Amino acid sequence: RSGEYTTIPVLEELAEEDLSFQVAEAPSVQVNRVATIRELDQELNKHSALMMLDNKIDLKCLTRFLNAESDIKEEDKPWYWERLFTEVASELNSEWESFMSRTQLTVKL
């Protein structure tokens, strides 16, 4: 293996090839606005044409049962994991105990 030399790159050459100093250009994306529930409700009430899908499927029976935004809007409340876990565990235990007591009564009869 005589005659083979390992070359050590020169620092200036590395700096020329180093891409960490280059900034990538961000892609341009067109963002389409999404309609709010209120806007969709207003459009639904204005246009009876929205009650048909492809002029074949009648959506009146479905739109009759849609809830208004005011009916489904809730106040944002923080969730605390410990409290939520305790409440769910307690409810599950109560249901389990109730189920077990009913099954034991059924078995004894």
Side-chain angles (χ1 to χ4, degrees):
R1 292 196 186 227
S2 61
E4 287 184 30
Y5 296 100
T6 305
T7 58
I8 300 174
V10 179
L11 195 54
E12 288 82 24
E13 291 174 2
L14 284 178
E16 290 174 6
E17 296 176 10
D18 189 7
L19 299 178
S20 65
F21 296 112
Q22 296 180 6
V23 177
E25 185 178 333
S28 63
V29 177
Q30 181 179 3
V31 177
N32 294 329
R33 191 174 93 55
V34 177
T36 64
I37 293 175
R38 182 176 294 123
E39 291 169 341
L40 293 172
D41 280 343
Q42 290 171 352
E43 288 296 314
L44 186 62
N45 292 332
K46 284 183 197 174
H47 306 288
S48 61
L50 295 175
M51 299 295 181
M52 294 293 288
L53 181 64
D54 294 335
N55 290 327
K56 297 176 187 174
I57 302 171
D58 187 6
L59 298 176
K60 290 177 193 166
C61 61
L62 293 174
T63 56
R64 223 178 23 190
F65 296 104
L66 288 176
N67 294 323
E69 179 187 13
S70 59
D71 294 340
I72 59 172
K73 192 105 176 168
E74 293 180 341
E75 178 185 340
D76 286 338
K77 296 180 184 177
W79 285 14
Y80 301 101
W81 169 248
E82 296 83 14
R83 184 173 163 194
L84 182 64
F85 180 79
T86 303
E87 289 174 0
V88 171
S90 175
E91 190 172 327
L92 287 173
N93 282 333
S94 296
E95 288 179 12
W96 176 252
E97 289 172 2
S98 174
F99 171 76
M100 290 305 288
S101 65
R102 282 184 305 206
T103 355
Q104 288 175 353
L105 287 175
T106 307
V107 171
K108 289 180 183 178
L109 296 175

